[in-house]
Amino acid sequence: MTSPLPPFDWDIFCCVVDNFGDIGVTWRLARQLKQEGALPTHGDEAQVRLWVDDLASFARICPGLDPALDSQWVDGIHIQHWHDTLPADAIPARVVIEAFACQLPAPFIERMAEQMASQPRPPCWINLEYLSAESWVEDCHALASPQRVGNQSLNKYFFFPGFTARTGGLLCERGLIAERERWQQDEAGLAAYWASLGLPPKQEHELRVSLFTYESPALTSLVESWCQSATPVTLLLPLGRSLNDVLTGAGLAAAIPTAKAGALLQAGNLTIKLLPMTDQAGYDRLLWSCDLNLVRGEDSFVRAQWAARPFLWHIYPQEEQAHMVKLDGFLDHYLAKLPTATGQWLRGFSHALNQGENCRDWWAQWPEHAAIWLQHGRPWSQKQLRDGDLVTRLVKFLESRI
C-alpha cells in the first residue's frame, strides 16, 4: 500500500518541446523551490510536484529518474508523468505553475476552481514565460489574466524572467556564485577535472571551448578557424545536434557515423573531445572550466552567465527573424558596459553565428577582445542578482496572494 501524498506547495507543469531546454529550466526551478521556496506562513520546507510529459528526455539530464514509472520521488521532489489521465487523488498545490505557456489539463483547472469553495483563497496560478530581454516584458510582468472556469473566475498571473528590476529575474541557486569561485580558483581541482574527462592539464596558451548549440553553417567556418589556429584549441563537445557541422568543419565527416562519447579526435591544431550528456551539475562545472562557451536555448544560456566566462548565445531560430530581435534585446543589456569596439565586435559575431554566416573574420579578432570580455563576466553576473534571483522574486510576489 502506497503512502498518501503530502499537500503540495508547488505544482509545476512542463511540456518538453526542445529536448532539454524546457525540462532543464523546470527541473532547476523545482529543486530550487524545494530548497528555498518556503511560502509565507507555511514553515521552512516546500513540497514540490513536477509534472512532465516526456520522461525519457528528462532522464537524460536526471540519471536518477526511471522513465517507466508513472510517479516517483527524486531529490525530494515528486515526479508525475503527465498524460491524458489525471490521477484521481491529484489535489492542486497552493501555487500552480504552467511553464512556458504549456496549458494546464482542463480537469486540473476544474479542480483548482472547485477549491475556491472550500478554501479562503484558490491556488495561485502562474504562467512562467520564456526568458526575454525585450522592453515590453516589463509592462507585462506580473499582470493578471482572468480565466473563467464554470461559474468561477481564476486569475492567471504572467511571470517573465528577465534582466531588469521590473521583471522576474533569473534562476540562480543560493550559494552558486561562491561555489563557482571556489571551483575556478582551485588549480589542482581543475587538473583533476580535466583528467576525469581524459584530458591533460590545460596548457598556458591553450583555449578550451565548450559547444552545445543547434545546427548552423556558421559552426563549420568557426571550426575551420580553430583547426588553423596558431593557438591550440580543445573543443568539449557533448553529443547532440551540432555534431555533424563540427566534424564536417574539422574535415572529419567520415567519423560522424561512428562518433561515440569518449572519443578524442584531432584536426590540425584542434582537439575535439566528445562528451556524453551529463547532469546539470556536471554541465555547470564544464561551463566554469572553459575559456569560451557556446550555448543555446534558455537553460544553458543562463548558466553560461553564472560561469562568468565569455559565451556566445545560439538562440532558438524563429520565423521572420523574431529571434534576432530577442538576441539584440539581450545584447543591448549585456554590451552596455563594454568598450565600444568590443561591443560592436561581439554583436557582429553573435549575429553571424545566429544567421549561419562565415565566422572566420570574427574569430580572428578574438585575441584583441578576449581579456576585456573575460573581465566583464563577474560584474555582469553580480548585476543580475542585485534585485534578487527568480525564486526570491517569485516568493515575494506571492506573499500577498496566497
Side-chain angles (χ1 to χ4, degrees):
M1 181 176 178
T2 59
S3 301
L5 292 174
F8 287 100
D9 299 288
W10 304 88
D11 268 317
I12 309 171
F13 284 79
C14 174
C15 178
V16 180
V17 176
D18 181 34
N19 292 324
F20 309 112
D22 306 89
I23 186 57
V25 172
T26 49
W27 180 227
R28 289 193 194 274
L29 173 63
R31 285 180 295 158
Q32 190 176 352
L33 287 173
K34 175 64 181 175
Q35 297 299 319
E36 307 171 24
L39 294 166
T41 68
H42 199 256
D44 298 323
E45 186 176 16
Q47 293 288 351
V48 181
R49 176 168 51 191
L50 176 59
W51 302 72
V52 183
D53 67 342
D54 180 358
L55 295 181
S57 291
F58 187 7
R60 297 284 300 280
I61 61 171
C62 181
L65 182 75
D66 184 349
L69 295 179
D70 202 52
S71 64
Q72 59 199 291
W73 290 89
V74 180
D75 292 349
I77 295 160
H78 188 77
I79 310 298
Q80 178 68 51
H81 187 199
W82 174 15
H83 44 65
D84 292 339
T85 303
L86 198 68
D89 57 350
I91 300 172
R94 300 179 76 205
V95 182
V96 178
I97 298 175
E98 54 179 31
F100 314 121
C102 63
Q103 297 189 352
L104 301 180
F108 196 86
I109 297 174
E110 291 168 4
R111 293 183 192 182
M112 291 167 62
E114 290 168 1
Q115 287 185 272
M116 294 187 70
S118 59
Q119 295 182 3
R121 295 189 181 184
C124 193
W125 185 357
I126 302 290
N127 178 6
L128 180 66
E129 286 283 356
Y130 286 101
L131 170 63
S132 177
E134 294 175 88
S135 58
W136 60 266
V137 166
E138 291 187 332
D139 297 326
C140 297
H141 176 63
L143 291 183
S145 173
Q147 307 289 310
R148 196 70 185 170
V149 185
N151 61 355
Q152 303 283 1
S153 180
L154 291 173
N155 277 333
K156 175 164 64 172
Y157 296 94
F158 293 95
F159 202 88
F160 282 86
F163 298 91
T164 70
R166 292 175 56 197
T167 66
L170 304 174
L171 277 175
C172 184
E173 305 90 323
R174 190 178 300 150
L176 180 75
I177 302 304
E179 184 182 354
R180 177 201 73 196
E181 289 298 293
R182 288 192 296 270
W183 180 272
Q184 293 181 340
Q185 294 170 19
D186 183 0
E187 292 187 11
L190 283 168
Y193 173 71
W194 294 127
S196 74
L197 298 181
L199 293 171
K202 182 170 170 276
Q203 301 175 38
E204 183 179 356
H205 299 295
E206 176 191 1
L207 285 177
R208 292 206 165 165
V209 181
S210 80
L211 192 150
F212 182 62
T213 70
Y214 304 109
E215 305 89 338
S216 173
L219 295 178
T220 303
S221 61
L222 193 54
V223 171
E224 288 173 351
S225 298
W226 293 336
C227 292
Q228 298 163 13
S229 171
T231 301
V233 178
T234 298
L235 179 62
L236 289 303
L237 181 66
L239 292 177
R241 296 174 60 167
S242 55
L243 176 70
N244 289 8
D245 289 329
V246 169
L247 294 190
T248 299
L252 299 170
I256 292 173
T258 57
K260 294 181 180 179
L264 192 67
L265 307 173
Q266 192 73 37
N269 225 6
L270 173 65
T271 301
I272 303 174
K273 179 68 178 182
L274 300 183
L275 302 178
M277 285 296 297
T278 182
D279 63 12
Q280 292 183 317
Y283 185 64
D284 283 340
R285 292 190 287 269
L286 177 65
L287 295 173
W288 296 348
S289 304
C290 288
D291 302 296
L292 171 66
N293 297 301
L294 280 75
V295 295
R296 77 186 201 199
E298 180 168 328
D299 182 54
S300 55
F301 166 53
V302 171
R303 305 312 282 195
Q305 293 174 65
W306 303 141
R309 295 287 171 87
F311 72 93
L312 290 167
W313 182 27
H314 194 196
I315 190 170
Y316 188 79
Q318 295 178 297
E319 293 181 359
E320 299 180 358
Q321 298 288 293
H323 60 295
M324 298 303 294
V325 177
K326 294 181 179 181
L327 174 65
D328 276 325
F330 166 70
L331 291 174
D332 288 344
H333 289 284
Y334 183 66
L335 305 180
K337 298 295 184 181
L338 282 169
T340 300
T342 298
Q344 290 176 342
W345 166 73
L346 189 46
R347 190 182 296 271
F349 197 173
S350 298
H351 279 214
L353 172 66
N354 280 280
Q355 293 180 321
E357 297 172 355
N358 192 308
C359 289
R360 292 177 67 95
D361 290 342
W362 295 108
W363 178 253
Q365 300 174 60
W366 161 269
E368 180 182 347
H369 300 287
I372 298 171
W373 195 2
L374 175 61
Q375 292 169 4
H376 182 54
R378 278 177 173 76
W380 170 257
S381 64
Q382 292 165 358
K383 180 178 182 291
Q384 299 317 302
L385 294 173
R386 193 173 299 156
D387 298 294
D389 64 279
L390 187 145
V391 166
T392 299
R393 298 189 200 190
L394 179 57
V395 171
K396 185 176 181 180
F397 170 76
L398 291 166
E399 284 179 349
S400 62
R401 294 174 174 84
I402 59 173

